[in-house]
Amino acid sequence: MEFSELIRTGRAQAELLRGPEAPPLRGTLCVTGHHLLLSPGPQATSDLWLLLLRSVDSIEKRVAGDSGTITLRCKDLRVLQLDIEGVEATLDIARSIEALSSLESVITSFPFFYRPKGLRLGDAWHFHPPEHYYKRVARETNAWRLSEVNEDFSVCPSYPRAVIVPRAVDDDALKRSARFRQGGRFPVLSYHHAPSGTVLLRSSQPLTGPQKRRCAEDEEMLRAVLAGARPGARGFIVDTRSSQTAKQARMTGGGTEAKAAYPGWKRLHRPLERGRPLQESFVRLVEACGDLEQSMDRWLSRLEGCRWLAHVKEALSTACLAAQGMEREGACILVHGAEGTDSTLLVTSLAQLILDPLSRTMAGFQELVEREWIQAGHPFQLRCAHSAFSHARPKHEAPTFLLFLDCVWQLGRQFPLSLEFGEGLLLALFEHAYASPFGTFLCNSEKERCLCEVRTRTHSLWSGLNQPKEQRKVRNPLYVLNPLAIWPSVEPQSLRLWQGLFLRWTRPPEPSEVAWEKVWQIVTDKEKTEGSQPTVSAPEPQS
């Protein structure tokens, strides 16, 4: 289908209201295949206004007299109002936006047409292959190897082509272990903690079922993990489901690792919310933040009732448990829930941020997101199909990645010198995960990205963010390399609402944001005075 078939009216005269802090913008409104744009006209001083249609989460329209109003609620939590001349033009533009913003085809989305100046196709896609991290692991231990057992994605459709596995386990054993794990997600290395000689692994649940099935190769793999760690190492299996949920999963073919079958491993249940309850928590929080006329008591009640900060606390607590097991108890950790593509990745990525100084650098954090979320098979296309405003009944949507970003923001607030990146990077990742001109967050797995030729036909977000003009927005000017683990407090007094995201469209800039700009100015002036280059960046992970 051609985009032109979905555009009922190409243009109309309109006034755009962008929120309490932005002045109204009047001009010619145009609808294209991928954008909504408003041109203020030749006499105006303001620039062209542009909105990616994939950013629209919901649309409401109403007409009165000879004009109409369209309210656009966006995936980045903006609320925009368009006052349009003409009833028919209003209805036609609303229908066009509805049709174009809900297209599900990946290869007709804007990233396949986006060609910014200064970037070349293929740039930055090579920054973070699995081989890059394996080289680091290989310098620290020879107990692991890089396997290409999944080269054609036939063993596990949601894993990348290459994964890091115990050297003592051959590819045939990996294939049999994959058949014993939901979705084929057999245990793979997530992080090697060199100071303790222990490892962090991730997988999906074992398919023990009501018959309590076993798999010799799966058991062999976890024995090999302990044998490859320090002498006498033990292991913990952190199950992100409640024990009751895990028992119920056994009745439908899933289950948990039997204690007798995995000697040296102890199972711990740390339930983390996922799916629809997490999405509903997000929706209730955004609704509360958008109500500017409620009383203090009502606001506090709604903030507590949505339980978003409780989810933040639970995620950080579970990540701390995994990190403490490695650093303080010298134990190996395997994390899984059911599918292993949501709360599992939340825990493994946060645990690495806590323990690994390189993950807290700009390059290291980008590699962490690429390796532990994108390549690890988090289904971004499904989870981020809608944000908090959609009227559609949620199917697969869940803000798991946003919860991760919120937890990272909490770490940055508690340790303001220890992260090389700032809030600007986290906000950018949130926006691009839901709607982006870049191809980085497209599809649900590496297999799908290969079928759609995403790496050769779209630009990487990392190439855009690493442009010099973007660095001031995303980098922390106060960063100092901290070689130690950072242990966050999860006490209620320590966790804060992320106002920079949830309230940024409804309130003026905070003094802290103004102070941030002042700090950047001081750092820049100091560098100019000394005639030196910026020195805030830590060495990138070596390849």
Side-chain angles (χ1 to χ4, degrees):
M1 177 181 289
E2 296 289 335
F3 291 129
S4 58
E5 297 177 30
L6 302 176
I7 301 175
R8 293 169 176 261
T9 294
R11 64 180 60 196
Q13 294 302 306
E15 183 178 62
L16 171 67
L17 304 177
R18 294 172 287 177
E21 299 301 316
L25 187 62
R26 183 167 184 79
T28 303
L29 181 72
C30 299
V31 182
T32 72
H34 295 112
H35 289 93
L36 191 65
L37 56 91
L38 192 143
S39 175
Q43 307 302 321
T45 57
S46 52
D47 295 329
L48 182 75
W49 176 82
L50 197 68
L51 177 72
L52 188 63
L53 286 173
R54 281 290 178 100
S55 301
V56 176
D57 205 27
S58 71
I59 178 170
E60 299 171 6
K61 55 185 180 291
R62 63 179 185 275
V63 294
D66 58 355
S67 64
T69 297
I70 295 176
T71 301
L72 301 175
R73 301 183 187 276
C74 301
K75 294 176 182 178
D76 63 2
L77 309 185
R78 278 183 295 175
V79 179
L80 306 170
Q81 180 178 312
L82 288 165
D83 295 328
I84 301 174
E85 297 177 5
V87 171
E88 186 175 345
T90 301
L91 297 176
D92 283 345
I93 287 175
R95 294 188 188 105
S96 301
I97 296 172
E98 286 174 340
L100 292 166
S101 63
S102 59
L103 291 175
E104 296 183 355
S105 169
V106 172
I107 60 174
T108 60
S109 61
F110 185 58
F112 285 85
F113 299 85
Y114 183 50
R115 297 295 180 265
K117 291 181 179 179
L119 299 183
R120 293 181 305 172
L121 284 175
D123 284 357
W125 283 115
H126 63 280
F127 279 5
H128 313 293
E131 295 83 359
H132 191 282
Y133 184 66
Y134 173 69
K135 289 178 181 178
R136 176 180 164 188
V137 173
R139 288 194 298 269
E140 299 168 346
T141 175
N142 64 353
W144 296 81
R145 67 182 179 92
L146 191 69
S147 170
E148 295 184 349
V149 66
N150 197 45
E151 185 175 11
D152 59 357
F153 304 107
S154 61
V155 175
C156 177
S158 61
Y159 271 174
R161 296 181 188 275
V163 291
I164 305 174
V165 297
R167 187 174 296 278
V169 179
D170 61 31
D171 284 355
D172 287 338
L174 296 179
K175 292 176 182 178
R176 285 190 283 272
S177 173
R179 290 195 286 270
F180 182 65
R181 296 277 174 171
Q182 182 169 338
R185 294 178 69 89
F186 56 91
V188 297
L189 180 77
S190 180
Y191 170 62
H192 177 256
H193 187 50
S196 66
T198 58
V199 293
L200 178 66
L201 306 113
R202 48 179 161 77
S203 72
S204 60
Q205 67 175 340
L207 302 178
T208 52
Q211 288 79 32
K212 297 183 179 180
R213 293 174 58 239
R214 293 177 58 174
C215 174
E217 290 78 13
D218 195 78
E219 297 165 16
E220 173 197 345
M221 185 183 302
L222 291 194
R223 282 197 301 271
V225 169
L226 297 183
R230 64 180 185 82
R234 55 180 178 149
F236 290 104
I237 299 172
V238 178
D239 194 324
T240 60
R241 304 167 293 177
S242 67
S243 57
Q244 183 62 33
T245 301
K247 288 178 182 177
Q248 292 172 350
R250 186 184 300 163
M251 296 298 102
T252 56
T256 57
E257 294 83 356
K259 185 176 180 179
Y262 297 87
W265 291 86
K266 179 181 179 181
R267 190 170 70 250
L268 303 172
H269 289 278
R270 291 295 184 273
L272 297 178
E273 204 63 84
R274 57 174 65 79
R276 184 175 296 177
L278 190 60
Q279 177 70 12
E280 291 174 351
S281 174
F282 176 38
V283 170
R284 290 198 300 271
L285 174 59
V286 172
E287 289 175 348
C289 291
D291 186 349
L292 304 181
E293 299 180 357
Q294 59 194 328
S295 66
M296 175 65 78
D297 288 346
R298 174 66 172 158
W299 159 248
L300 293 176
S301 174
R302 294 177 75 178
L303 182 61
E304 180 182 13
C306 74
R307 297 200 73 249
W308 181 262
L309 288 178
H311 298 318
V312 171
K313 176 185 177 180
E314 290 158 3
L316 284 171
S317 297
T318 306
C320 284
L321 174 72
Q324 286 172 351
M326 298 175 72
E327 175 157 284
R328 298 182 178 177
E329 299 189 36
C332 296
I333 307 291
L334 168 63
V335 183
H336 73 68
E339 297 176 350
T341 57
D342 291 281
S343 55
T344 297
L345 309 182
L346 176 65
V347 174
T348 58
S349 52
L350 287 175
Q352 290 177 65
L353 272 174
I354 291 170
L355 292 175
D356 182 20
L358 285 178
S359 293
R360 304 194 287 267
T361 66
M362 181 68 74
F365 184 69
Q366 292 178 11
E367 179 183 307
L368 180 72
V369 171
E370 182 76 34
R371 176 167 44 84
E372 288 298 297
W373 287 91
I374 298 169
Q375 295 174 8
H378 180 65
F380 281 98
Q381 198 83 6
L382 293 174
R383 298 292 183 263
C384 300
H386 293 290
S387 182
F389 293 125
S390 174
H391 301 305
R393 184 176 178 84
K395 297 178 181 178
H396 306 287
E397 293 85 354
T400 314
F401 186 64
L402 171 58
L403 181 59
F404 164 69
L405 296 176
D406 198 329
C407 291
V408 177
W409 179 83
Q410 304 286 343
L411 285 172
R413 199 190 65 80
Q414 293 187 27
F415 300 91
L417 307 184
S418 294
L419 305 184
E420 190 181 16
F421 50 90
E423 181 183 59
L425 178 63
L426 303 179
L427 292 173
L429 291 177
F430 163 67
E431 293 174 359
H432 286 282
Y434 280 89
S436 176
F438 297 95
T440 300
F441 290 108
L442 287 179
C443 304
N444 298 304
S445 64
E446 284 295 285
K447 178 181 180 179
E448 290 184 13
R449 281 184 279 275
C450 285
L451 291 173
C452 294
E453 300 178 317
V454 168
R455 290 183 180 273
T456 57
R457 297 178 59 192
T458 72
H459 288 282
S460 166
L461 172 62
W462 311 126
S463 63
L465 291 178
N466 291 330
Q467 294 293 301
K469 65 180 181 179
E470 297 294 324
Q471 288 297 289
R472 187 178 176 118
K473 302 175 186 176
V474 300
R475 193 177 290 273
N476 177 8
L478 300 178
Y479 171 70
V480 178
L481 178 63
N482 178 1
L484 305 176
I486 54 174
W487 300 103
S489 169
V490 294
E491 295 302 317
Q493 301 90 332
S494 301
L495 299 179
R496 302 284 179 85
L497 175 69
W498 186 3
Q499 296 185 39
L501 187 144
F502 293 109
L503 297 178
R504 66 172 167 156
W505 305 115
T506 59
R507 54 139 180 88
E510 285 189 308
S512 61
E513 296 172 11
V514 178
W516 183 270
E517 276 301 312
K518 292 282 188 184
V519 170
W520 258 118
Q521 190 62 48
I522 292 170
V523 170
T524 304
D525 291 346
K526 182 173 183 290
E527 289 165 356
K528 288 179 180 178
T529 301
E530 296 176 353
S532 63
Q533 295 297 316
T535 57
V536 294
S537 179
E540 295 186 5
Q542 296 179 6
S543 57

